[in-house]
Amino acid sequence: MSAERTQGGSSAGSARAIDGGRFGRGAEPPSERKHEFSVVGRPLPKIDAWTKVTGETKYADDLVLPRMAHGKLLRSPHGHALIKRIDAARARALPGVYAAVTGADLPRVKFGILPVSQDEEVLCTEKVRMVGDAVAAVAAVDEETAERACRLIDVEYEPLPALMSIEESLAHPEIRIHEYGDGPNVHKSVALQFGDVEAAFAKADLVREDVFYYEGNTHLPMEQHAAVAHAGPDGKLTLWSSTQTPHYVHRVLAKALDMPAAHVRVVATPVGGGFGGKTDPFAHEIVACHLSRLTGRPVKIALTREEVFYAHRGRHPVLMWLKTGFTRQGDITGCHIKTWLDGGAYGSYGVASTFYTGVINPVTYKMPVYKFEGARVFTNKPPCGPKRGHGTPQPRFALEVQIDKAAEQLGLDPADMRRRIAAEPFTKTANHLTVTTTGLVECIDRVVEASGWRAKWRGWRFRAPASPAQPVLGEASEGAPEGGARRSEAPSEKKRGVGLACSAYLTGAGTAIYWNDMPHSGVLLRADRSGAVTILCGATDIGQGSDSILAYLPAEVLGIAPKDVHVHPADTSLTPVDLGSYSSRVTLMCGMAAIQAAERLKTVIAKAVAGKLEVGPGELVFRDGKVGAPEEWDKAVTFARAVELAEAMHGVLAFPGSYAPPKRAGKYKGGGVGPSPCYSYTACVVELTVDEETGEVELHDVWIAHDVGRALNPLLVEGQTEGSVYMGIGEALMEGQVFRKGVHKQPSMLDYKSPTTLEMPEVHTILVETDDPEGPFGAKEAGQGPLLPVPPAIANAIYHAVGVRCDEVPIAPEMILKGLERRRQGKAARVGPEKIPVFKFKEPLVVESAFGQPAEAIAVRPFQS
Amino acid sequence: MKTRISLTVNGETHEVLVPVHKTLLEVLREDLGLTGTKHGCELGECGTCTVLADGEPVLSCLALPVELAGCEITTVEGMARGGRLHPLQQAFAELGAAQCGYCTPGILLTAQALLADRPTPTRQEVKAALAGNLCRCTGYTKILDAVELAALRMTGGSRVGDRR
Amino acid sequence: MMRLPPFTYLAPRTLGDAATALAEHGRDAMVVAGGTDLYPNMKRLQFEPKVLVGLRGIRDLRGVRGSAREGLTIGAGTTLSAVAGHPEIAARYPALATAAGLVSSPQLRNMGTLGGNVCVDTRCNYYNQSHEWRKAVGFCMKKDGDICLVAPASPRCWAVSSSDTAPVLWSLGARVRLVAASGERTVEVSALYQDDGIAYLAKQPGEILTEILLPPADGWKSAYLKLRRRGSFDFPVLGVAVALRLEGARVGEARIVLGAVASTPRPADVAAAALVGERLTPELIARVADLAAGPSKPLDNTDFTHPYRKKMTRVFVARALRALAGLDGSGRPVEEVA
């Protein structure tokens, strides 16, 4: 399909000379080599592609060990209840059952991914907080027996009222889901202010206040979570699990099982889809370990699809109030956002999620003044957490739809308006985040051009009589349609529209989950006399291709083929820690660590080869599996020979690489969430048809331009972009994690609506390269950012087609019909939330805005040399 | 109570002794060790467990071995022949059509059946044929591209240098 | 992994043996053809048969016989893919081919049979859930409980008829052959269903549906439209089947049958009667569509809201009639639709 890439680009800040430091000290090849990559930038197959297309890849549930038992969890049928009694005697008596346990059999500790939210029990002992909370577990000869045994466990509950919405939880402070937090049923409340937002509104020509709602949804990885535990006779424990964060699982296992961490090994198996859903440590992982220790057998626990819906940690439902001031020209004078997150029954990553609903918006556009208030509320539903875009798609939806509304009132082309207000490179935002490169302007230009935006936007625009509530301030950019099919030529009930939206996203969180000064990512690189290089790294491949990146980058540095690199990922006993596959951090952080280690190896090899060839180490070039001086290339030695020379001189060739992000956190409480080495930028145009009789939306084309810094492998970047578009479409039009009568309404693949091939439009991916100084060979993230602009671009296109504002997702057909009906009744054709909760945020922490301050081009980082 | 069943999988006949209520999915994975066949729901709602029965895509989670005696079953392990990958496998690897790879076996087999029936399908026909296979990673884009590339190669066409 | 509970599987080679086995095991037994409806329901413990009588080994149950001129006979064991792809069905009974081709997913249609779709269990999103889920919400009367969770004050079950082919077969005037150990009978499809979510089939437990008999196609045109969220997998939450026999430019006979808005396919007889003797003008179509929406009384137990499904009834009936009349959305003639 149509995918294109641009080099360098001419937009502001996009073209930067690459600092020689990245190529090492003293041994770097001639600087022009950076444009002659042998691996970087090439559309190579992933290194694991071959085992994936032949079915050889072993996912967690494919593992079978001798004498293995099968475990099953008994889950609560109540949303909120006290546990009065649990008796597993009948289960234990069932033939084929090896063990049946309750929370009383486990160490009495609570766990959770964030140190500040240690609120989960492995098996609930006193209270259940959601339908699906685990209360007991069985290990048996097979899965059927384990399931039968679970049904024989007697649990006596005393039901409590279940709180199923933000409003209910706030309205009933007397019913407490947890005893901790920032108020009754309030898990976390934050309030930050950067500059005087009221003064900013006073200066504005147009001030808009809008309320938006983004429904919760779930990751729905195709692979259900599974784990196999093996407690050996030596008292050591191994867990193979479908997890994105083996390091955090390692830490939690030691705590929850009260075992020395040194005796625990966690191996992340290839993950069959994650999207953030396998980023928390889960009860089934801990229980499998406990049951294995108890029975002396390996124990597998594989979740059913329904259980995956209860494990969840997906997108938070967020209600948002957004107030923004605009000048006549479209500049933003200031912005104030309030967010209410429905967190579900446990903390998970919720504190971070809460911050993320506020802190990333200022990265995209020039926002001199900014205020953010957010609150996460506990409810008796499966806990929400990080899903692709973690906390940011919701406020992104709000901001991009509001800008579309403002552009209309101001008589501006929404593409031109965004282009004008795009953030400047190498500056700080109001909330003290550092923007390095940004290709946003180029992204906008590219999608505008590729989609034929100008003609379509002017030609097809729905024109409602100007509503008195929304006076047009500027001159509407009318004008005859210049191209594209006129709407009237289509059948009368089918209306075509285009919509545009932009976004930015972080390339790795600047701080770890737990406070520490150690590397975020580490590798060990070993060269072999065979000429092979082995890289050990804690990173977890969840399909995004991190294993391949770990092969490509050393191959690039050392001039060998990716096939000559053996990658050993995600094994806590073998591999240096990588924090995990979340927050779009892996390519950048592991990549930088891998380059560092490879450069160290290269330096030693160069020294040895230089001695042999009697040239200076700086004259040597590593390429095509050889090392030599370019002018005497016939004397170049093979890489394997070079390794032998180096090993003879240096001893065993094994080098570490470490990466930690620059310390750029704002100097205020809460400043640790949001900083990132660099941010990716995206612009998206959607073209669709709305059926005015049925309200059905048909997507035709999506043009998406993504500033990825540098595409280390364009195939993988395109794949991440296309997958993000897909997930954004699902969230915009059909996916929703909704509840009724206290239970999940649709915990199945049939009823939770995931788009099929038939709903998927053609995606035209444009990769923009800005060569960021912070990234490996200039690369930024691609796994999450491209999701963000898709839902608002769809909402804006629907408005463009039929004049209905959908301030809520998912946008069901009946919502559009409701909007059309309202217009027929002479009311505003808007559907979305009508009110916000009664809630008093705490006094904001007032910090001076850092907007526009220059930011250093290259930051100092720990472990840099 | 177990039943002796003769199953022909990837050209090899296996005698298995299994309870009759064990689905083909379970027997393939647990009794024959063919874990290339994956599962996403076990209720016929995702297409992940697709295998071919006499060349037709069916869901192994809803099929009983006792009902398939005499059928020729093909799983992903049976696609490559004599160490050579099927053109679909080759194209999926080359174009990045497998991300997490979990839905890949079912999609490959569904596509294989399509190309056996229609060697040069239109993109819409490929979409229709794969409408029963959910993928959460790729947005299907590279999957459709890969099926088209394989079709071209299998019918003697070539797209080398056309795009990459 | 969700697994099947244990059962005994019988594989009779003849219809007679199957009917005998069914009679012998009484209420403990169920028949299975494609298994695409039965097995998921068994995994969720909605059905708990001790004995399954497999129909796959009975060759007579598969295949299409006869001609559209004299009427076609379709074996109940014919797969939905085979029905959808059958040239004569596609040409002469297009609504049936369309409906069969819209059932679930390609894989399901390769396995599922026409007889299975005609008999498909009624559905409800309080009922098509795992045992644990149903326990959490409180069981309903269709299985393990004693109230209807959609309409708690109601004495009956409101599970939804979710067959794509049933409303079409009804509109085409099809009949089905039912064979039991004690004998056989042929009934109109319109007499096969009853408006009760539990006892939705007017079929004795010992009877096996063996054949679907289509009347001669001459002079008839038919169309089927289906409402659902996605283009694949999803059951209908509204189905509209229309069959017309034209006499010149006027309608000679008409049948409109709605699917997925009640526990049975629901005929819109008043609307159909308003077509007879008339020309298919845009005005008439609008009036008939309004009338057809009358019998559409969905409840809140499927995807989409029930007011939306009701509202769409009018739109879909109008679209089906327009398609058969060769009119586009604005009432202008368009090219012939199959």
Side-chain angles (χ1 to χ4, degrees):
Chain A
M1 283 316 299
S2 65
E4 20 181 332
R5 295 183 288 284
T6 61
Q7 287 283 334
S10 57
S11 55
S14 60
R16 292 268 149 184
I18 296 184
D19 177 65
R22 194 176 307 118
F23 289 92
R25 288 138 302 278
E28 69 268 25
S31 61
E32 65 271 19
R33 288 273 294 152
K34 74 180 191 288
H35 293 304
E36 296 168 19
F37 295 123
S38 57
V39 177
V40 164
R42 296 180 60 189
L44 301 171
K46 292 201 296 181
I47 62 166
D48 54 356
W50 311 105
T51 54
K52 282 181 173 171
V53 299
T54 51
E56 283 176 37
T57 302
K58 291 284 182 198
Y59 300 84
D61 194 24
D62 299 337
L63 302 178
V64 178
L65 297 176
R67 301 175 62 249
M68 187 172 83
H70 296 264
K72 200 89 195 160
L73 300 174
L74 176 68
R75 295 180 183 273
S76 165
H78 297 284
H80 201 188
L82 298 175
I83 300 169
K84 307 308 284 183
R85 186 180 65 88
I86 308 186
D87 183 353
R90 287 201 301 148
R92 286 191 192 102
L94 187 73
V97 169
Y98 301 131
V101 295
T102 68
D105 302 315
L106 280 144
R108 288 297 188 98
V109 289
K110 289 194 171 185
F111 72 98
I113 185 69
L114 298 188
V116 294
S117 308
Q118 300 287 301
D119 61 2
E120 298 184 51
E121 284 187 290
V122 180
L123 298 171
C124 299
T125 53
E126 290 167 3
K127 180 167 157 168
V128 292
R129 294 177 174 84
M130 56 176 248
V131 172
D133 251 345
V135 295
V138 170
V141 62
D142 55 33
E143 204 174 7
E144 291 163 283
T145 307
E147 191 174 340
R148 246 195 336 273
C150 277
R151 294 200 181 115
L152 294 175
I153 297 172
D154 300 304
V155 189
E156 195 183 312
Y157 294 99
E158 182 185 318
L160 300 170
L163 304 172
M164 298 302 287
S165 67
I166 291 173
E167 292 73 20
E168 275 181 22
S169 290
L170 293 178
H172 292 283
E174 77 284 4
I175 304 163
R176 294 288 292 265
I177 296 174
H178 286 282
E179 295 303 322
Y180 81 107
D182 285 348
N185 298 323
V186 177
H187 174 214
K188 182 70 186 173
S189 173
V190 297
L192 295 167
Q193 182 173 334
F194 306 93
D196 185 345
V197 74
E198 294 310 321
F201 293 146
K203 295 199 294 218
D205 297 313
L206 169 67
V207 178
R208 282 204 64 93
E209 280 180 53
D210 292 286
V211 183
F212 299 93
Y213 180 65
Y214 202 108
E215 181 58 276
N217 51 61
T218 200
H219 321 82
L220 204 78
M222 294 310 297
E223 177 209 27
Q224 300 113 318
H225 306 47
V228 178
H230 181 214
D234 56 359
K236 292 186 180 181
L237 176 73
T238 303
L239 178 76
W240 293 266
S241 184
S242 173
T243 177
Q244 298 176 238
T245 51
H247 173 60
Y248 295 142
V249 171
H250 184 197
R251 287 168 56 85
V252 166
L253 286 183
K255 178 181 180 186
L257 298 168
D258 194 17
M259 267 184 88
H263 301 164
V264 179
R265 173 186 177 202
V266 177
V267 182
T269 47
V271 178
F275 318 112
K278 296 168 182 169
T279 315
D280 286 57
F282 288 100
H284 71 273
E285 295 172 314
I286 304 166
V287 168
C289 292
H290 181 69
L291 288 171
S292 180
R293 294 175 83 193
L294 212 58
T295 60
R297 291 171 180 270
V299 174
K300 177 191 282 185
I301 300 183
L303 301 190
T304 64
R305 178 53 62 185
E306 183 178 346
E307 288 178 292
V308 175
F309 281 94
Y310 301 145
H312 190 46
R313 324 283 160 152
R315 182 87 68 231
H316 284 77
V318 184
L319 184 62
M320 294 161 285
W321 171 91
L322 181 63
K323 181 175 180 181
T324 308
F326 301 92
T327 67
R328 213 167 270 279
Q329 293 75 30
D331 293 329
I332 291 172
T333 63
C335 180
H336 181 186
I337 187 168
K338 298 181 190 182
T339 64
W340 292 267
L341 296 81
D342 181 344
Y346 295 99
S348 182
Y349 284 81
V351 170
S353 317
T354 308
F355 276 101
Y356 279 130
T357 63
V359 299
I360 300 299
N361 269 348
V363 172
T364 318
Y365 302 118
K366 286 177 278 213
M367 266 182 198
V369 173
Y370 191 62
K371 184 174 178 184
F372 160 51
E373 293 164 298
R376 184 177 190 262
V377 177
F378 285 126
T379 53
N380 292 114
K381 299 191 278 195
C384 298
K387 183 188 171 195
R388 205 170 201 167
H390 193 187
T392 74
Q394 302 96 327
R396 174 59 47 192
F397 174 74
L399 181 63
E400 296 296 322
V401 172
Q402 189 179 59
I403 287 178
D404 207 64
K405 295 180 185 186
E408 184 182 37
Q409 279 179 280
L410 296 168
L412 300 171
D413 179 325
D416 292 339
M417 176 170 163
R418 286 179 172 87
R419 202 177 182 287
R420 176 186 171 92
I421 63 176
E424 295 286 341
F426 297 100
T427 59
K428 288 194 184 266
T429 66
N431 56 337
H432 301 225
L433 303 181
T434 297
V435 174
T436 56
T437 59
T438 160
L440 182 57
V441 169
E442 188 178 347
C443 288
I444 294 172
D445 290 346
R446 299 295 301 276
V447 290
V448 161
E449 185 194 334
S451 65
W453 166 266
R454 304 255 177 232
K456 289 172 182 171
W457 182 73
R458 272 191 229 127
W460 301 345
R461 192 143 53 110
F462 171 82
R463 288 185 188 83
S467 143
Q470 295 188 9
V472 173
L473 295 184
E475 285 298 308
S477 55
E478 290 291 335
E482 287 161 10
R486 279 305 312 266
R487 191 162 57 202
S488 60
E489 288 170 13
S492 60
E493 72 279 6
K494 300 275 178 88
K495 301 288 195 293
R496 223 165 165 97
V498 286
L500 184 146
C502 299
S503 63
Y505 195 70
L506 57 162
T507 308
T511 46
I513 298 293
Y514 63 100
W515 182 250
N516 71 82
D517 283 326
M518 292 176 281
H520 288 217
S521 196
V523 307
L524 257 183
L525 192 77
R526 190 182 69 90
D528 191 292
R529 295 176 199 179
S530 68
V533 166
T534 300
I535 185 163
L536 310 176
C537 176
T540 305
D541 201 316
I542 60 173
Q544 86 281 38
S546 64
D547 284 0
S548 299
I549 297 297
L550 285 169
Y552 299 153
L553 297 185
E556 179 67 50
V557 171
L558 298 168
I560 56 177
K563 197 173 181 178
D564 298 334
V565 182
H566 303 302
V567 179
H568 288 271
D571 179 335
T572 60
S573 292
L574 285 179
T575 58
V577 165
D578 173 78
L579 294 179
S581 286
Y582 64 92
S583 90
S584 276
R585 51 177 299 288
V586 180
T587 292
L588 186 138
M589 299 197 190
C590 292
M592 293 299 278
I595 289 171
Q596 186 183 58
E599 291 290 354
R600 286 173 173 167
L601 171 63
K602 187 177 176 181
T603 302
V604 170
I605 292 176
K607 201 192 241 178
V609 175
K612 168 85 176 169
L613 298 182
E614 297 176 334
V615 297
E619 293 168 50
L620 293 174
V621 165
F622 289 60
R623 119 183 140 216
D624 303 331
K626 289 182 177 174
V627 182
E631 52 278 10
E632 289 183 297
W633 194 245
D634 56 322
K635 291 188 185 162
V637 300
T638 65
F639 185 73
R641 178 68 189 137
V643 167
E644 287 180 346
L645 292 169
E647 192 173 335
M649 179 184 274
H650 182 272
V652 170
L653 300 178
F655 296 92
S658 303
Y659 179 85
K663 297 197 170 182
R664 284 173 173 154
K667 303 281 183 281
Y668 58 88
K669 192 172 185 314
V673 186
S676 174
C678 52
Y679 300 89
S680 74
Y681 287 84
T682 317
C684 172
V685 169
V686 169
E687 183 172 334
L688 51 72
T689 297
V690 181
D691 185 324
E692 285 198 312
E693 281 190 328
T694 64
E696 289 172 314
V697 173
E698 185 191 350
L699 300 174
H700 303 296
D701 292 274
V702 173
W703 293 268
I704 186 154
H706 182 67
D707 163 18
V708 67
R710 180 182 301 283
L712 297 179
N713 179 340
L715 267 187
L716 305 196
V717 182
E718 287 165 21
Q720 288 303 303
T721 308
E722 290 153 1
S724 293
V725 169
Y726 168 83
M727 208 160 263
I729 288 169
E731 297 189 8
L733 294 178
M734 56 184 73
E735 294 184 36
Q737 171 109 330
V738 293
F739 295 80
R740 181 181 59 179
K741 291 190 199 276
V743 294
H744 194 302
K745 191 176 171 187
Q746 51 211 18
S748 70
M749 297 291 262
L750 180 64
D751 293 324
Y752 181 91
K753 302 300 182 186
S754 180
T756 73
T757 52
L758 301 176
E759 283 70 52
M760 193 62 190
E762 292 298 315
V763 180
H764 312 275
T765 301
I766 299 161
L767 302 184
V768 170
E769 299 195 316
T770 48
D771 197 3
D772 196 278
E774 295 291 343
F777 296 105
K780 309 186 197 178
E781 76 88 38
Q784 308 192 62
L787 181 149
L788 305 175
V790 176
I794 288 173
N796 293 341
I798 289 170
Y799 178 76
H800 186 250
V802 295
V804 173
R805 280 290 177 199
C806 298
D807 289 348
E808 177 177 334
V809 291
I811 301 169
E814 47 205 312
M815 283 166 61
I816 295 173
L817 291 188
K818 198 165 139 193
L820 291 168
E821 181 59 31
R822 284 191 179 160
R823 195 173 71 229
R824 276 192 286 275
Q825 295 166 356
K827 300 180 194 159
R830 172 194 177 267
V831 278
E834 305 286 346
K835 55 182 185 186
I836 55 176
V838 179
F839 183 80
K840 189 166 162 44
F841 289 97
K842 62 182 179 189
E843 277 302 304
L845 177 66
V846 180
V847 182
E848 206 167 307
S849 169
F851 174 75
Q853 291 176 13
E856 70 275 34
I858 295 165
V860 176
R861 287 187 277 107
F863 313 111
Q864 211 159 2
S865 56
Chain B
M1 202 184 63
K2 295 187 174 181
T3 309
R4 181 175 299 278
I5 297 165
S6 172
L7 263 187
T8 306
V9 182
N10 302 330
E12 295 170 7
T13 301
H14 302 265
E15 299 286 325
V16 291
L17 191 63
V18 293
V20 74
H21 64 273
K22 245 187 139 169
T23 61
L24 178 62
L25 169 72
E26 295 156 35
V27 172
L28 287 172
R29 288 175 54 82
E30 296 165 6
D31 297 275
L32 300 180
L34 295 171
T35 53
T37 303
K38 308 300 179 196
H39 58 98
C41 70
E42 303 97 62
L43 295 169
E45 302 172 350
C46 71
T48 306
C49 68
T50 301
V51 299
L52 302 184
D54 288 338
E56 287 214 331
V58 297
L59 299 172
S60 61
C61 74
L62 299 183
L64 295 187
V66 70
E67 294 169 336
L68 294 166
C71 271
E72 185 74 44
I73 310 289
T74 308
T75 70
V76 69
E77 290 92 343
M79 284 185 77
R81 287 290 156 91
R84 268 182 75 86
L85 295 183
H86 188 282
L88 278 161
Q89 293 174 307
Q90 185 72 27
F92 270 57
E94 284 179 21
L95 296 192
Q99 284 189 23
C100 84
Y102 198 80
C103 70
T104 307
I107 289 184
L108 283 168
L109 290 161
T110 309
Q112 184 181 328
L114 168 71
L115 297 187
D117 188 41
R118 272 176 207 269
T120 55
T122 64
R123 198 166 179 89
Q124 199 50 45
E125 284 170 340
V126 180
K127 281 188 175 185
L130 296 181
N133 294 81
L134 290 178
C135 167
R136 290 287 285 177
C137 291
T138 63
Y140 307 107
T141 306
K142 299 230 179 290
I143 291 171
L144 303 178
D145 291 350
V147 174
E148 290 177 345
L149 176 59
L152 205 63
R153 286 176 176 170
M154 288 167 75
T155 51
S158 165
R159 220 175 66 156
V160 176
D162 169 23
R163 180 177 166 215
R164 311 203 179 269
Chain C
M1 201 188 283
M2 287 195 91
R3 291 168 195 266
L4 284 166
F7 51 81
T8 300
Y9 188 94
L10 304 177
R13 308 300 293 182
T14 67
L15 196 51
D17 289 351
T20 306
L22 205 51
E24 196 177 308
H25 294 281
R27 296 207 166 262
D28 286 343
M30 292 181 82
V31 296
V32 58
T36 56
D37 184 40
L38 186 89
Y39 293 144
N41 288 355
M42 286 177 67
K43 288 182 178 185
R44 291 184 295 236
L45 305 185
Q46 293 162 247
F47 298 157
E48 298 180 277
K50 295 190 175 65
V51 176
L52 287 185
V53 180
L55 303 179
R56 277 188 178 234
I58 305 171
R59 293 182 71 100
D60 295 351
L61 287 179
R62 256 173 289 163
V64 181
R65 299 193 307 276
S67 68
R69 203 183 163 78
E70 282 140 17
L72 281 184
T73 299
I74 307 173
T78 310
T79 65
L80 291 160
S81 293
V83 172
H86 193 274
E88 196 163 16
I89 295 175
R92 307 301 303 279
Y93 306 92
L96 179 59
T98 301
L102 290 175
V103 173
S104 189
S105 69
Q107 288 90 328
L108 256 294
R109 297 194 291 275
N110 288 340
M111 305 172 80
T113 64
L114 182 59
N117 191 252
V118 167
C119 296
V120 74
D121 191 19
T122 54
R123 299 183 64 84
C124 171
N125 57 22
Y126 288 100
Y127 164 68
N128 295 100
Q129 303 280 2
S130 72
H131 182 268
E132 281 66 30
W133 190 98
R134 290 185 285 119
K135 184 180 175 189
V137 81
F139 295 108
C140 79
M141 65 167 67
K142 190 158 160 74
K143 186 69 171 60
D144 303 321
D146 46 21
I147 60 162
C148 172
L149 293 166
V150 193
S154 166
R156 57 161 283 201
C157 163
W158 292 90
V160 180
S161 169
S162 301
S163 168
D164 285 299
T165 56
V168 171
L169 292 170
W170 186 322
S171 75
L172 293 173
R175 291 168 300 141
V176 293
R177 190 184 307 280
L178 301 171
V179 174
S182 54
E184 63 173 81
R185 61 185 178 129
T186 301
V187 300
E188 300 285 330
V189 167
S190 57
L192 182 64
Y193 299 101
Q194 41 200 31
D195 195 7
D196 182 285
I198 295 170
Y200 64 98
L201 283 178
K203 176 174 93 62
Q204 299 306 310
E207 287 180 321
I208 301 169
L209 191 154
T210 60
E211 283 174 345
I212 292 93
L213 305 125
L214 294 172
D218 289 350
W220 286 85
K221 294 174 110 182
S222 63
Y224 176 71
L225 293 178
K226 172 175 184 172
L227 177 68
R228 56 174 162 179
R229 189 84 58 165
R230 302 176 293 183
S232 186
F233 289 110
D234 297 346
F235 282 89
V237 294
L238 165 68
V240 169
V242 179
L244 300 178
R245 191 173 55 74
L246 293 175
E247 292 172 351
R250 291 180 189 275
V251 176
E253 282 180 81
R255 294 188 206 103
I256 301 173
V257 184
L258 309 176
V261 292
S263 297
T264 170
R266 178 154 277 171
D269 288 338
V270 176
L275 288 165
V276 176
E278 303 288 333
R279 286 170 192 276
L280 281 173
T281 62
E283 296 71 31
L284 176 70
I285 287 172
R287 190 159 62 82
V288 169
D290 281 340
L291 289 171
S296 175
K297 296 200 168 103
L299 295 180
D300 183 16
N301 57 349
T302 70
D303 190 25
F304 287 131
T305 67
H306 52 297
Y308 177 70
R309 289 157 61 209
K310 168 133 181 122
K311 192 180 281 186
M312 286 307 100
T313 309
R314 188 189 59 74
V315 175
F316 276 47
V317 170
R319 287 186 175 185
L321 286 169
R322 284 204 298 261
L324 292 177
L327 301 172
D328 75 5
S330 49
R332 291 185 301 236
V334 292
E335 285 178 31
E336 190 76 10
V337 215

